[in-house]
Structure formats: structure tokens, C-alpha cells
Amino acid sequence: DQQVKQNSPSLSVQEGRISILNCDYTNSMFDYFLWYKKYPAEGPTFLISISSIKDKNEDGRFTVFLNKSAKHLSLHIVPSQPGDSAVYFCAASASSNTGKLIFGQGTTLQVKP
Amino acid sequence: EAGVAQSPRYKIIEKRQSVAFWCNPISGHATLYWYQQILGQGPKLLIQFQNNGVVDDSQLPKDRFSAERLKGVDSTLKIQPAKLEDSAVYLCASSPGTPPYEQYFGPGTRLTVT
């Protein structure tokens, strides 16, 4: 049972444009959502998070939107830069479950110069 | 602040052999995690420690995998005997254990079982 899903394996955008990465979840007990970025041969790096009591969180070029009724979240990167090219993982946790993270399958973002 | 350290970075073994991975978490982080990441998938939790106690090992194949965290700091993950399907990247992460439960990952160990 895949509780966190990223249905787009890959995304390609032009430098300077917006990148939108999507994530869906099924477990209504999740109350924190996180995005991680992963370069080849490195571990995932934390990017941004959002609590279920919010619908938006912004950090520089990165904004995460949460739609609880649709059980959907998205990561917006504006403007996209070639250095943003990486695999992006969506993850979710439930406070009631010791903070264990459940990861999606990842979306590979390619930003073309 | 030093990050999460893991060794070795790469390991190639034959099936039925044993292998061990080592992790040193960020200083002061009480929670430590071991994940398995198979190519094309997201990391899957194998085991979670709080200090030196196991919080969750429901996804750990206990017939062949074992892990320990002595003294609540460093941790080792062992596979014995290894199978072909154990080929993956093994990631260690640590966390202060408070919301939003942000975890800090090490570089991982890429294991190839032939």
C-alpha cells in the first residue's frame, strides 16, 4: 500500500520557468509533510516542510502548497535553475507514529539552460 | 556542525556473504534511522532507534538483517546472508525527534550483491 505517491517520474523545464512537483497521500493521520532533494551519490537533503494546519509555506524560491481535502501537496520552484536538477522526494509523517517518514517514489527534475 | 557519517561508501559482495554498515549520527540527535533505497524508489524505513532502544523494526527482514545502536550513538546494520535483492543504497539518518521530524541523511552505502 503506497501511502505517498508521486505519479510523475520525471519533469523537464526551462531555466527561469516554474517547476511544479506533485505528491498525493492517502493517510489522513499525516500531519507533517516534507520535501527532500537528492543529487547522485549523495543522501537526500531536506528542502522544506509544511504542517497540516497550514496550506502554504514559502522559503526563498521554494513554496509548498497543501490541499488537505484533496490529500495533495505540491512544490513550486520559481525561478528554476540548472542547479535544481535532482530527484525530489515527498515525505509524510504522523506525530502519532513516532515521526516515521513515508517517502514517495521520487520525481526527477531536469532544468535546461 | 558535522553531518551524518557512513561507511563504507560502496561494497560489492557475493550472495550468501555477510556485510556490515556503520553510521555516526549528528551529535545530540536521539533518533537514528536506517533506510533501504532500491533504484527508482523512495527510501524505505528498515529500523528506527530512540537512543539505544528500538522504536520500529516492522519492516526489517529479521531473518537476515540485524541492527544495533550501542550507547545510543553509533549504529551498525548487518546483513547475513545477503541475497541478490538486497542490492540497494542503505541510508542512515538522524533527527532531533521533534516536529516536523526533519531527518538528516548520510551519503549512503551502495551495496551490490552478485
Side-chain angles (χ1 to χ4, degrees):
Chain A
D1 176 32
Q2 191 76 26
Q3 297 186 64
V4 178
K5 292 183 182 179
Q6 294 174 256
N7 292 315
S8 298
S10 62
L11 175 68
S12 181
V13 300
Q14 209 64 36
E15 180 179 7
R17 305 295 291 270
I18 184 172
S19 296
I20 300 176
L21 296 99
N22 294 302
C23 178
D24 297 296
Y25 63 96
T26 58
N27 189 340
S28 57
M29 296 299 292
F30 289 144
D31 49 9
Y32 287 97
F33 303 89
L34 303 86
W35 284 93
Y36 281 81
K37 174 179 176 180
K38 186 180 182 306
Y39 291 119
E42 294 183 12
T45 303
F46 170 74
L47 203 53
I48 191 170
S49 66
I50 188 167
S51 160
S52 60
I53 63 172
K54 296 186 176 182
D55 54 17
K56 177 182 174 182
N57 189 27
E58 192 171 354
D59 183 2
R61 297 185 297 112
F62 302 91
T63 303
V64 57
F65 295 92
L66 176 62
N67 182 334
K68 281 192 297 184
S69 60
K71 293 191 173 68
H72 176 84
L73 63 155
S74 60
L75 174 68
H76 293 211
I77 306 174
V78 183
S80 300
Q81 300 173 354
D84 296 329
S85 298
V87 179
Y88 289 79
F89 290 99
C90 168
S93 71
S95 302
S96 59
N97 195 22
T98 68
K100 177 171 83 172
L101 289 181
I102 307 297
F103 283 84
Q105 311 95 306
T107 296
T108 300
L109 172 66
Q110 182 184 28
V111 180
K112 296 179 179 178
Chain B
E1 178 181 84
V4 176
Q6 286 188 250
S7 68
R9 291 295 312 275
Y10 304 91
K11 190 75 178 178
I12 300 174
I13 62 172
E14 295 181 352
K15 60 183 180 184
R16 291 187 288 274
Q17 287 186 324
S18 63
V19 63
F21 312 125
W22 173 83
C23 173
N24 180 244
I26 291 173
S27 177
H29 281 189
T31 312
L32 185 147
Y33 310 81
W34 282 101
Y35 288 87
Q36 179 191 60
Q37 185 180 11
I38 293 172
L39 189 64
Q41 299 180 19
K44 184 186 85 171
L45 181 69
L46 292 174
I47 188 166
Q48 177 182 349
F49 292 94
Q50 179 77 18
N51 297 310
N52 60 348
V54 175
V55 173
D56 185 343
D57 64 356
S58 58
Q59 302 264 58
L60 188 73
K62 299 181 188 61
D63 57 334
R64 298 183 300 106
F65 286 64
S66 64
E68 60 182 7
R69 190 183 184 196
L70 298 176
K71 301 180 182 178
V73 182
D74 292 6
S75 177
T76 56
L77 176 70
K78 296 179 182 177
I79 307 175
Q80 183 179 11
K83 293 185 175 181
L84 295 176
E85 59 260 36
D86 297 332
S87 294
V89 175
Y90 290 85
L91 293 160
C92 178
S94 70
S95 167
T98 54
Y101 303 106
E102 177 184 337
Q103 296 178 21
Y104 298 82
F105 285 82
T109 297
R110 179 173 294 280
L111 174 67
T112 302
V113 182
T114 62

